[in-house]
Every structure is written in structure tokens, then in C-alpha cells.
Amino acid sequence: MEAAARRRQHPGAAGGASAQPGASFVQARHSAAKADEAAGTAPFHLDLWFYFTLQNWVLDFGRPIAMVSVKPWTEPLPALVFPLEWFPLNKPSVGDYFHMAYNVITPFLLLKLIERSPRTLPRSMIYISIITFVMGASIHLVGDSVNHRLLFSGYQHHLSVRENPIIKNLKPETLIDSFELLYYYDEYLGHSMWYVPFFLILFIYFSGCFTPAKAESSMPGAALLLVMPSGLYYWYLVTEGQIFILFIFTFFAMLALVLHQKRKRLFLDSNGLFLFYSFALTLLLVALWVAWLWNDTVLRKKYPGVIYVPEPWAFYTLHVSSRR
């Protein structure tokens, strides 16, 4: 009777003793999963990095080329030039369709890249970044489309909006403010909402690219072949997007993380090395680009700030297209 009463007063005593082995088993599995994650190393994602580099070159770098490669039927049509009648100025250009495809394919590839990370990455941060990326790229799509269509009316990219011959004499003058607003959406708001989450996602992915095995800290031959086109594309992204500060901050954050992890005897795996070497090559190319155009007085006037990084398309309209 007394034993039964004690059991009624402490119903969890016997159950707690029997539950301990189950709790220990769950904890052991959790610890084992953590250990596997710490020791896990992803192989080089050749397919994703190849598709990522290819679509960056075709859909992003090739987009403005496709936009300015539209000519009337009366002009001779070289290869890869689209007749203006197919894409009239009051409709989306072929470059706009490139941009639409980029806005869909790029976030998809970024999500696939995150899925293959051997580490558990902050999903909420990834999702918010992807949503912001798509919104910013879509804002840029509209502004960039109109700005490139203005080239057919004599707009010159190496001049500011108010200094352009086709805009400075507009009446009423409030129309100029509208074009400056369009330029702001294209070059500032759109670029910020596009590139900040883009580099944030790459950095978050990079933070999971470490392995305790130094023997696995190397790149296969295919990765070495992709470093050059990848680094060259990021050079275009940094210079044309005017995001040098964002890029250099991301690169030094990556470098600081590498040095910090090295103290823990953790080394970059093949995917991390590929991303780090691509950014290092980009930094070298940007330095060479700035040194080459350092004494260009016209571009200096358009980019008067402390950080002087001219846009490739400003160079094109000033020194290439003006001579034709």
C-alpha cells in the first residue's frame, strides 16, 4: 500500500528512468550528425559552377550587347544582330528577355548551390536575400531597358543625365527629374537590392566551404579552367555595376574568415578555393582597369569620387562607338 502510494505521488520516477536511454540515444544521434557535418566535404560542383558562369556571360554580360545589336532592316546585318522591326523601341528588346531569364535562372542556381553545402546554413537569411535579389534585379530590368533604348536617340553613357544632349533641353524641365529618377532606380536602388543579397548569399555559402582535411584543400583541373572566365565576369560585374566597395568588403571578409578558420586547422575545400581565387583575380583585373584609365579626363569628370572605377559601357560609348 505504501509503495503504491509513493508511485502515485511520483508518477514520473519510473518513467524517467526508462526514458533516459531514449534521451541518450537521441543526443547521441544529434552529436553524430554534428560530427558528420563538421567533417563533411562537398565535391567540386562542376555542373553548377559551369552553368552559373555560362548564364552569367550569356544572360548578363551578353544582355547589353544584344540590346545595342538591334538595327533596322535597311542597314547591313552582321552575325548575331537582330532587326529593329522584331523588337520595336516601345516593346521589350532581346536583351530584356535575357534579363528576364537571368532573374529566374540565377536565384534557382544559388538555391541549388546552397542545397549542396555540407553545412547547415541560415535558411531564413537565404530566403530573404533571394527575394530581395529578385526584386532588385527586376527594378534594374525596367530602368536598364529604357536607358539602353535611349542609345538609339543619341544618349551617351559617359555623360551624366543632365549633360546628355538629348535630355538637357527637354521642356518642361521636370521631365529631366523623371529621367534622373529612372537612372536612380537603374544604377542605385536596383543595383543595391540586386548585388548586396547576391554577394551575401555567396559569402554565406563560402562560410560553409571548409574542411579539416588539408589534402582535400585543392581544386581539380576543371575548376582551374573556370577561374579565368569566372573572375573576368566578376570584373565586369564590379565595374559596370559600380559596386567596388561592396566587392572589396566581401573579399576581405572572405580573407578574414579564411585566416580565422586556419587557426582552427580548417581549410578551404575545392568550391571555396574556386570562389576565393575568382574574387582574387577580379581584384587584380579591376586594379589593371583603373590603372589603364587613370588619366582619362572625360571619365574622371563622370566619376569624380575618391574611388575611381569607370564603367565598361561608358568607355565603349566614349572611345569605341563615337569613332564609328
Side-chain angles (χ1 to χ4, degrees), residues 6 15 57 115 134 165 187 199 233 251 258 262 270 281 286 295 305 315:
R6 283 196 297 269
W57 274 102
E115 286 178 5
V134 173
E187 296 295 329
F199 280 96
Y233 166 74
F251 179 75
V258 170
K262 192 174 182 180
S270 56
L281 177 60
V286 171
N295 295 319
F315 172 83

Side-chain angles (χ1 to χ4, degrees), residues 51-109:
Y51 295 144
F52 196 66
T53 304
L54 179 64
Q55 69 96 29
N56 282 337
W57 274 102
V58 175
L59 300 180
D60 192 21
F61 178 80
R63 170 177 47 82
I65 297 176
M67 283 181 172
V68 300
S69 297
V70 179
K71 294 185 177 182
W73 277 111
T74 54
E75 296 186 20
L77 296 177
L80 299 178
V81 174
F82 304 93
L84 185 60
E85 287 76 7
W86 293 0
F87 303 95
L89 296 181
N90 61 345
K91 302 294 181 183
S93 72
V94 61
D96 296 335
Y97 293 111
F98 279 27
H99 207 319
M100 294 175 196
Y102 174 90
N103 291 3
V104 174
I105 296 174
T106 302
F108 173 76
L109 291 177

Side-chain angles (χ1 to χ4, degrees), residues 10 61 78-79 89 92 114 119 145 169 225 273 304:
H10 303 283
F61 178 80
L89 296 181
I114 294 297
R119 309 291 186 270
S145 174
N169 295 323
L225 293 177
L273 286 172

Side-chain angles (χ1 to χ4, degrees), residues 212-227:
K214 190 172 183 180
E216 296 177 353
S217 183
S218 61
M219 289 195 302
L224 294 173
L225 293 177
L226 282 177
V227 166

Side-chain angles (χ1 to χ4, degrees), residues 3-192:
R6 283 196 297 269
R7 283 196 297 269
R8 284 196 297 268
Q9 291 176 0
H10 303 283
S18 63
Q20 287 180 359
S24 301
F25 176 73
V26 172
Q27 291 175 358
R29 287 190 60 183
H30 182 71
S31 300
K34 287 290 186 180
D36 290 343
E37 182 179 295
T41 301
F44 183 69
H45 307 314
L46 177 60
D47 55 341
L48 287 182
W49 288 122
F50 174 76
Y51 295 144
F52 196 66
T53 304
L54 179 64
Q55 69 96 29
N56 282 337
W57 274 102
V58 175
L59 300 180
D60 192 21
F61 178 80
R63 170 177 47 82
I65 297 176
M67 283 181 172
V68 300
S69 297
V70 179
K71 294 185 177 182
W73 277 111
T74 54
E75 296 186 20
L77 296 177
L80 299 178
V81 174
F82 304 93
L84 185 60
E85 287 76 7
W86 293 0
F87 303 95
L89 296 181
N90 61 345
K91 302 294 181 183
S93 72
V94 61
D96 296 335
Y97 293 111
F98 279 27
H99 207 319
M100 294 175 196
Y102 174 90
N103 291 3
V104 174
I105 296 174
T106 302
F108 173 76
L109 291 177
L110 288 174
L111 286 173
K112 297 301 292 184
L113 202 61
I114 294 297
E115 286 178 5
R116 293 194 187 181
S117 174
R119 309 291 186 270
T120 300
L121 302 176
R123 298 292 179 180
S124 297
M125 180 67 71
I126 295 296
Y127 295 150
I128 292 174
S129 299
I130 289 291
I131 293 170
T132 307
F133 169 88
V134 173
M135 185 176 179
S138 300
I139 292 174
H140 180 267
L141 164 63
V142 177
D144 198 58
S145 174
V146 176
N147 282 333
H148 276 90
R149 297 307 232 181
L150 289 174
L151 289 174
F152 293 94
S153 303
Y155 188 84
Q156 300 178 40
H157 272 299
H158 62 277
L159 299 176
S160 66
V161 174
R162 289 189 176 271
E163 292 177 340
N164 260 273
I166 67 169
I167 290 180
K168 64 181 181 181
N169 295 323
L170 285 176
K171 300 297 179 182
E173 291 188 2
T174 51
L175 285 175
I176 302 179
D177 294 332
S178 298
F179 277 100
E180 285 190 323
L181 175 62
L182 179 69
Y183 184 84
Y184 172 80
Y185 273 115
D186 178 14
E187 296 295 329
Y188 294 99
L189 184 62
H191 281 184
S192 298

Side-chain angles (χ1 to χ4, degrees), residues 273-288:
L273 286 172
F274 171 76
L275 199 54
F276 186 80
Y277 288 155
S278 295
F279 276 31
L281 177 60
T282 299
L283 184 60
L284 175 62
L285 293 175
V286 171
L288 294 175

